DNA sequence: TGTTAGCACTCCTAGTTAACGAGTGCTAAT
DNA sequence: ATTAGCACTCGTTAACTAGGAGTGCTAACA
């Protein structure tokens, strides 16, 4: 059972977190008391802060320092004190402007989204591309490049294009390839990508064996080519923004963080969240040593009302939560709108 | 006219640079004199080093410190004293092993190359992908995704695949699209990508106008789609390796460096070199403030005996030149071989 | 009873000083 | 030509100091 906080304690906690987010330095009672909207003496504030510390919302960096929020403090702030801010007209205009350009590939649009988000938040932005494996096959085609080389092109219903190099056996001729691709198209269109391989082995196997000579050698190639274990694409914006934060003045804190940002599988595991809406993970809540001094805010974007990808911002725990939450909301919605109307 | 260096000065310069590359600390006369292969007193060595300093090959960090190589010193070392090293059997085996895997896309192969190179050099490796605009069109295809959306697929003779989203005018029908794509293929196959747009406007314009209804609206889309100002792909390996170097302990040196690595156009300008063979640029020779403490070693790789891309290593000026040069040579050749035999 | 002024105390920071060591340049002897 | 010796420079480290910011606690106040 959590003891209720008084109005005044709530207010002081909010003020302290807000101030600390701006200054990055421990906040003392005197500096709070000097604010125009507070009519309390430093001594009174000290008492309240001592109580808040006792309850675990605040910490001191050393015995006689000012206070900084603890992770529990940030958590409370984020859960109960977060007042979404309004962006200035100017900023709204800038965001919209960034989206007016027409992008000829969804990839470019997503890349730009990451860039915008990082520019406006001064944090690192990460966008996970749509989950490829859930999309369905629209078309397969093989383009022959030379006697024994070809490229297999796979188009999904979302307009995504994958391609694979294929080595052709010497004996195979053009019409045979054509026949094979036709069979593949007949049988596989509409099949989700993650099922391709299984379907190929179970159903197409037999059919192809009947119609195509030199089938076995071809099969090995096709099977490889259709094994699409492509990890979903990850797009970054402002990868180095976080380096300017005072908490990362020490290079030894930076190295593991940057290294983990490069590890696509880890980032994937960190950000791919089943829930929709804005999610905030603070510090150790992320269960990853390299980013235990960071907060991660995620939300999803959709295509055809289905959540297909994640938009995330990663920054220091001392992040401008109200601003970032607002921006993330606006920008993920813009991305959703843009994707649905153009692709 | 450069004054000749004595044998002994050459030797001492080499020893000093070698030692400094290993230790990253100013080298004093005493430590050189203690090496087994040198039978000179510290005083003698001091005299020689003073001469080398006077000639501009060495520097001191402060009045009574040991010496470090100047940029001129590195330049001389690289031009005249560089003795290529042999890699251990073990390392050769590891490199070969990394290349045994079969890659189904040239992109993956190049990516792996950057990774290997960075792992073995402990520096950052950058590989510029093949120059797209010089390759020739092999095939164009349009895949319709829905009533008014399609994706245009462009395959080059090197097997590279580009794709563009296209919005179809409402009035256009399937057979018309087919006819148009056929015309494009007839007229444009074999044309280098950078000429596509011009050829489209000059030649195809007329033909299409005759055969296709609703030609104007379609044309805008196609023209956009064929405007392939794709900057050639850049692949990185070990982006953060350089952060472990003692010369980058200060975060303020790191930020501009990492930022410049993200700027694709700048990296492009820095690395795209017309000359073949191994090129070494030391510090300020790179004409870029952000990397004035770095050296960049580049070479090219080829497809069909034509230099199509660049492989580069970027590290501190105090880089293990002999080792990096050897590795760059071996690995760029491996890449060339692999590309030519598989794609 | 809640609020506040006053005060002793803690701890960080910056600046000073001193000792030490690594390294140099120069001179004179070999 | 080489080298031993020596005075000198400068960076590094540790110890110490003074100042300042901030705290907790106590006692007085409204």
């Amino acid at each position: 059972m959590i003891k209720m906080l008084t109005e005044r304690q709530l207010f002081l906690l909010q003020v302290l977190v807000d101030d600390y987010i701006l200054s990055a330095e421990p906040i003392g009672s005197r500096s709070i008391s000097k604010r125009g909207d507070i009519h309390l003496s430093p001594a009174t504030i000290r008492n309240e802060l001592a109580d808040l510390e006792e309850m675990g919302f605040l910490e001191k960096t050393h015995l006689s320092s000012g206070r900084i929020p603890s992770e529990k403090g940030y958590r409370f702030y984020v859960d109960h004190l977060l007042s979404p801010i309004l962006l200035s007209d100017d900023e709204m205009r800038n965001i919209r402007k960034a989206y007016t350009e027409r992008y000829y590939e969804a990839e470019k649009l997503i890349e730009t989204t990451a860039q915008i988000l990082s520019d406006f938040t001064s944090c690192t932005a990460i966008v996970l591309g749509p989950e490829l494996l859930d999309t369905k096959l629209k078309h397969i085609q093989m383009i022959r490049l030379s006697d024994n080389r070809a490229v297999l092109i796979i188009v999904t219903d979302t307009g995504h294009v994958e391609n694979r190099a294929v080595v052709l056996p010497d004996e195979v001729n053009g019409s045979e390839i054509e026949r094979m691709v036709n069979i593949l198209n007949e049988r596989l269109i509409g099949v989700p990508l993650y099922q391709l391989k299984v379907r190929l082995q179970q159903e197409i196997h037999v059919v192809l064996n009947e119609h195509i000579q030199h089938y076995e050698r071809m099969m090995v190639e096709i099977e490889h080519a259709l094994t699409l274990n492509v990890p979903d694409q990850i797009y970054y914006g402002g990868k180095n923004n976080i380096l300017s934060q005072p908490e990362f003045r020490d290079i030894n804190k930076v190295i593991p963080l940057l290294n983990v940002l490069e590890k696509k599988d880890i980032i994937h595991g960190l950000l791919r969240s089943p829930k929709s809406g804005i999610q905030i993970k603070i510090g150790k809540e992320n269960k990853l040593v390299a980013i235990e001094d960071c907060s991660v805010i995620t939300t999803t974007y959709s295509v055809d009302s289905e959540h297909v990808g994640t938009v995330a911002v990663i920054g220091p725990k001392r992040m401008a939560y109200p601003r970032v939450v607002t921006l993330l909301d606006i920008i993920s919605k813009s991305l959703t709108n843009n994707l649905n109307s153009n692709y």
Side-chain angles (χ1 to χ4, degrees), chain A:
Chain A
M1 185 66 194
I2 294 168
K3 203 163 118 205
M4 255 326 242
L5 295 180
T6 65
E7 275 300 315
R8 198 164 71 180
Q9 284 172 331
L10 289 175
F11 181 60
L12 285 174
L13 181 54
Q14 172 149 39
V15 164
L16 189 139
V17 176
D18 284 339
D19 280 7
Y20 182 63
I21 283 175
L22 279 182
S23 73
E25 310 229 306
I27 308 294
S29 56
R30 225 177 93 84
S31 76
I32 295 185
S33 137
K34 272 199 286 199
R35 284 174 53 124
D37 54 346
I38 293 191
H39 304 280
L40 294 170
S41 75
T44 310
I45 294 172
R46 276 205 290 282
N47 282 327
E48 296 284 31
L49 296 189
D51 287 348
L52 284 168
E53 183 180 353
E54 216 164 61
M55 290 183 268
F57 295 115
L58 300 179
E59 285 173 354
K60 286 191 281 200
T61 59
H62 59 87
L63 232 154
S64 73
S65 76
R67 262 80 175 197
I68 63 172
S70 66
E71 290 199 2
K72 184 176 168 188
Y74 281 121
R75 174 47 62 199
F76 190 90
Y77 172 85
V78 156
D79 287 343
H80 302 109
L81 302 172
L82 205 59
S83 47
I85 58 154
L86 288 178
L87 297 181
S88 73
D89 288 355
D90 217 37
E91 285 190 309
M92 284 302 288
R93 224 174 299 125
N94 281 334
I95 295 177
R96 259 190 238 107
K97 208 174 71 189
Y99 271 114
T100 47
E101 203 186 321
R102 158 102 192 273
Y103 297 98
Y104 281 81
E105 292 166 286
E107 275 85 0
K108 269 265 170 288
L109 173 65
I110 297 179
E111 214 175 290
T112 307
T113 301
Q115 193 57 53
I116 295 173
L117 193 53
S118 67
D119 285 350
F120 278 83
T121 59
S122 305
C123 292
T124 299
I126 307 179
V127 183
L128 299 190
E131 283 208 50
L132 253 190
L133 293 179
D134 281 350
T135 59
K136 290 170 189 142
L137 185 71
K138 183 79 187 180
H139 188 78
I140 287 184
Q141 174 137 20
M142 190 176 287
I143 310 283
R144 196 153 189 174
L145 299 171
S146 69
D147 276 358
N148 63 344
R149 289 161 54 233
V151 53
L152 191 79
I153 296 178
I154 297 144
V155 185
T156 73
D157 58 352
T158 57
H160 181 88
V161 178
E162 279 288 321
N163 62 288
R164 292 283 178 282
V166 173
V167 173
L168 304 174
D170 287 338
E171 319 85 26
V172 83
N173 67 46
S175 69
E176 231 172 1
I177 291 181
E178 205 173 311
R179 225 180 320 145
M180 188 185 68
V181 173
N182 283 341
I183 294 176
L184 289 176
N185 270 314
E186 276 164 31
R187 307 271 168 159
L188 290 177
I189 284 178
V191 172
L193 295 201
Y194 71 92
Q195 284 187 4
L196 277 188
K197 196 178 174 185
V198 185
R199 293 285 281 267
L200 187 70
Q201 290 170 329
Q202 291 180 350
E203 300 176 24
I204 325 288
H205 194 31
V206 195
V207 187
L208 283 180
N209 215 348
E210 276 173 30
H211 291 76
I212 312 285
Q213 296 191 317
H214 314 301
Y215 155 73
E216 305 79 14
R217 316 219 1 214
M218 213 46 234
M219 182 68 183
V220 179
E221 290 289 323
I222 300 292
E223 209 178 296
H224 263 296
L226 291 187
T227 306
L228 297 165
N229 54 357
V230 198
D232 306 339
Q233 207 50 50
I234 300 182
Y235 303 85
Y236 294 92
K239 230 183 214 175
N240 304 324
N241 279 2
I242 209 166
L243 303 192
S244 316
Q245 300 289 351
E247 28 271 275
F248 290 96
R249 232 171 302 149
D250 178 9
I251 190 97
N252 295 315
K253 292 237 163 193
V254 168
I255 292 179
L257 176 59
L258 287 183
N259 281 338
V260 105
L261 284 183
E262 300 285 324
K263 299 243 171 75
K264 305 217 161 181
D265 45 342
I266 295 185
I267 292 300
H268 219 269
L270 183 71
L271 299 185
R272 178 71 70 199
S273 77
K275 291 187 227 158
S276 69
I278 295 213
Q279 308 279 323
I280 304 183
K281 295 268 183 192
I282 296 160
K284 297 207 178 64
E285 293 174 8
N286 288 298
K287 311 276 182 214
L288 245 180
V289 197
I291 59 167
E292 70 181 8
D293 292 325
C294 295
S295 283
V296 179
I297 310 189
T298 57
T299 190
T300 54
Y301 64 92
S302 317
V303 172
D304 296 338
S305 309
E306 248 192 88
H307 298 301
V308 293
T310 304
V311 188
V313 171
I314 177 165
K317 283 193 289 194
R318 187 189 52 73
M319 180 194 286
Y321 292 96
R323 184 177 161 80
V324 173
V325 166
T326 304
L327 279 164
L328 197 60
D329 190 53
I330 292 176
I331 290 180
S332 68
K333 282 180 181 143
S334 302
L335 176 60
T336 295
N337 289 340
N338 247 285
L339 279 175
N340 284 296
S341 57
N342 291 332
Y343 302 99

